Amino acid sequence: MQLLNEQEIERRKDREALLQLGIDPYPALSYPINATSADIHKNYENRKNDYKNISIAGRLMTRRIMGSASFAEIQDSYGRLQIYVRRDDICPDEDKTLYNTVFKKLLGIGDFIGLKGFIFTTQTGEISLHVQEFTLLSKSIKPLPIVKRDDEGNVYDGFTDPELRYRQRYVDLIVNPEVKSTFVTRSKVISSMRRYFDDHGWLEVETPILQQVHGGAAAKPFDTHHNALDIPLFLRIANELYLKRLIVGGFEGVYEIGKMFRNEGMDRTHNPEFTSMEIYVAYKDYVWMMEMVEELLGQIASSVLGSTQAKVGEHIIEFAGPYKRLSMFEAIQEYTGIDVSTLDEAGLRKVCAALGIDVDDSMGKGKLIDEIFGEKVEDHLIQPTYITDYPIEMTPLAKKHRDKPGLVERFELFVNGKEIANAYTELNDPIDQRERFEEQLKLAARGDDEAMAMDEDFLRALEYGMPPTSGLGIGIDRLCMLLTDKSTIQEVLFFPQMKPEKRVKVATDEDFMEAGIPAALIPVIRELNIHTLDQLHTQNPSKLFNDVCGKRKKLKLNVANPSKEDVENWINGN
RNA sequence: GAUUCCGUAGCUCAGCUGGUAGAGCAUAACACUUUUAAUGUUAGGGUCCUGGGUUCGAACCCCAGCGGGAUCACCA
């Protein structure tokens, strides 16, 4: 049972009327299509002879009815096409029902129709389809928001409320074409990335999403449970440790594009599930990886945007390499003037205090440096910049730096003040790796709930030997935000996570009758805006009795008033 | 999680110092054979987010809740 507004009731009536006329509003059929809106707009002028027998389908989006002729627009998956419908063309005989009744009255905006006819150009110069035959393919019984645009592209009555747009993305996609193009771009980003990797001979793989040990990143996982095994499982926060097992297994390069899940806050840059790409290539180090990323991003930008430059907010970002490289200590020194490279934990705490950065006792040396960096440096890194050589404490899976003690071979790529990629020369010494995990356990004991857990099977794999390997992770959603110039992650996710929609359970006629209300009085109850049983049961008996009698009179219903006792019984459920 | 703003017709929004709600588009009816934000005339359409409170009287003031946006905190 749902409450219907005027327009929804009207459309349900239209559906019934169509059935009465013997027209199935939801026919089971394939409709032949030999042209698209995009194709027609692009090629009609040059190949007019090819557009005389068009069969096309789409959603009816506007109608301009002028007596016995009408203009309308249909929207297919590529765009819109104006159609011209003339009564005597589609109703050559005496019976004009198909035009006067079906087309003009029973069709509505949002309906899918199939059309046959020929393309022509109107007096006002619009390429249009002169319709000779139309078929209803699917009736829409919920009114779409109407977004109008004039010739300059100005939008009138836009469908703009983010809540409605995200909750009903299907509507957003129908009426806001630029939303559709954002997601087309997203798809192209992923496919061109995949093409780049495939062209290099690296293998696309899939690894477990349900993991017994959550590792590979510092984050809080989602818990779940496997019934048959009766064990707890985690939704993966990363797939790094599995991909490295595959390098141990002998693949030269493996990559995975997939969802990760982190049980943390949600905002304009975080969704509980997000898409990441991780790739591991054997016999390489992080220096090689920096060059690879420059080539990869340059190529993706060119193939998606047609240029290596992207407009992002106020800035023009240049994705062609080489990118600036700064070590983490250099970066901190550059933007704070402080050399933190020689400080111990106590010294770092003093620096944080001096800079006004909040810290707590669970933070180790690595985390403190990360805090300073995040607070003072990140925002300045607009053009693609590699930050390299991180403190060992914050990076338990990277190899120790070849010549800088206390650091690891790691870089993160920052663009527009945000981290979009993270890479290491991977740690492949199993003894060192075990010690690093031990350190993580100590952090966990201090209260760091994001510290990594020991993964014995991963260590066993490393003990068999892993070749020198470089690994990279890229946040696909954030990359897409950059390349589509969107400032929120919700704009590049079809269905961002939202709080549940509150749905009231609207009582049916049967529900009300079961509560003792005579069928004839149910319209009165609804007219009083009592739509749920909860509402009914919390009414004041005297007031409801008065209201019902009053409203019955007003609605001129030919039914006896209830007694006050009757009303009390409805409310008390007797 | 904190702060702050917002929630009125299917959609986008008005609504003054508190006096039972308006517009445009959409919908319905009529007119109109090349329109294009089609036009003209007319009509219908509301749980003013929910629940309390103040008041003779609340869309408006107060309190609580729900949902959303923005900023901040945490993180990717």
Side-chain angles (χ1 to χ4, degrees), chain A residues 437-456:
Chain A
F437 276 135
E438 307 277 1
E439 287 301 315
Q440 288 292 304
L441 295 181
K442 284 182 201 159
L443 284 179
R446 283 172 70 168
D448 184 346
D449 52 5
E450 291 178 349
M452 274 180 217
M454 177 75 72
D455 188 330
E456 288 292 349

Side-chain angles (χ1 to χ4, degrees), chain A residues 146-201:
Chain A
I146 305 297
V147 178
K148 298 217 170 190
R149 286 175 173 77
D150 63 19
D151 285 341
E152 280 92 55
N154 298 315
V155 175
Y156 302 84
D157 303 313
F159 180 66
T160 53
D161 182 341
E163 173 165 11
L164 290 172
R165 288 183 47 236
Y166 300 156
R167 287 196 194 278
Q168 303 185 41
R169 181 69 88 184
Y170 34 90
V171 176
D172 196 23
L173 289 164
I174 294 166
V175 304
N176 293 325
E178 60 286 354
V179 171
K180 204 172 190 177
S181 75
T182 296
F183 287 99
V184 171
T185 300
R186 181 186 171 112
S187 177
K188 285 183 183 164
V189 167
I190 293 171
S191 60
S192 59
M193 182 179 283
R194 181 173 279 130
R195 194 175 318 121
Y196 180 90
F197 294 151
D198 290 346
D199 287 349
H200 284 76

Side-chain angles (χ1 to χ4, degrees), chain A residues 203-217:
Chain A
L203 189 72
E204 180 167 17
V205 299
E206 293 169 278
T207 62
I209 288 172
L210 293 172
Q211 300 181 347
Q212 295 183 15
V213 179
H214 62 275

Side-chain angles (χ1 to χ4, degrees), chain A residues 345-377:
Chain A
E345 191 173 319
L348 286 167
R349 283 181 187 280
K350 272 186 207 154
V351 169
C352 286
L355 295 172
I357 297 167
D358 289 337
V359 295
D360 66 60
D361 291 344
S362 74
M363 291 177 180
K365 196 172 152 187
K367 193 110 180 173
L368 291 169
I369 291 170
D370 197 34
E371 289 291 316
I372 297 170
F373 179 81
E375 188 74 21
K376 295 294 172 191
V377 180

Side-chain angles (χ1 to χ4, degrees), chain A residues 290 293-294 297 317-328 330-331 334-335 373 377-388 390 411-422 482:
Chain A
M290 284 190 241
V293 170
E294 284 161 1
L297 294 185
I317 307 276
E318 174 58 78
F319 280 102
Y323 304 154
K324 190 176 176 187
R325 298 179 190 186
L326 278 178
S327 77
M328 168 144 281
E330 285 165 358
E334 179 159 336
Y335 292 99
F373 179 81
V377 180
E378 255 184 53
D379 289 349
H380 301 290
L381 307 175
I382 302 301
Q383 293 301 323
T385 306
Y386 288 124
I387 300 296
T388 65
Y390 286 63
F411 72 81
E412 289 188 311
L413 175 62
F414 286 83
V415 183
N416 202 37
K418 294 268 184 305
E419 181 213 326
I420 68 155
N422 183 18
L482 284 175

Side-chain angles (χ1 to χ4, degrees), chain A residues 4 18 27 99 130 136 175 199 207 240 301 309 312 331 352 354 400 425 502 552:
Chain A
L4 299 177
L18 287 162
Y99 182 76
H130 191 125
L136 175 60
V175 304
D199 287 349
T207 62
E240 171 158 359
Q309 299 188 336
V312 181
C352 286
K400 283 176 182 151
T425 301
K502 218 172 36 181
R552 185 207 63 88

Side-chain angles (χ1 to χ4, degrees), chain A residues 41 121 149 155 183 196 209 222 271 291 342 380 389 424 464 508 525 535:
Chain A
H41 286 300
T121 306
R149 286 175 173 77
V155 175
F183 287 99
Y196 180 90
I209 288 172
F222 283 91
N271 195 61
E291 284 157 19
T342 54
H380 301 290
D389 303 342
Y424 312 146
Y464 284 106
T508 62
I525 297 291
Q535 283 174 313

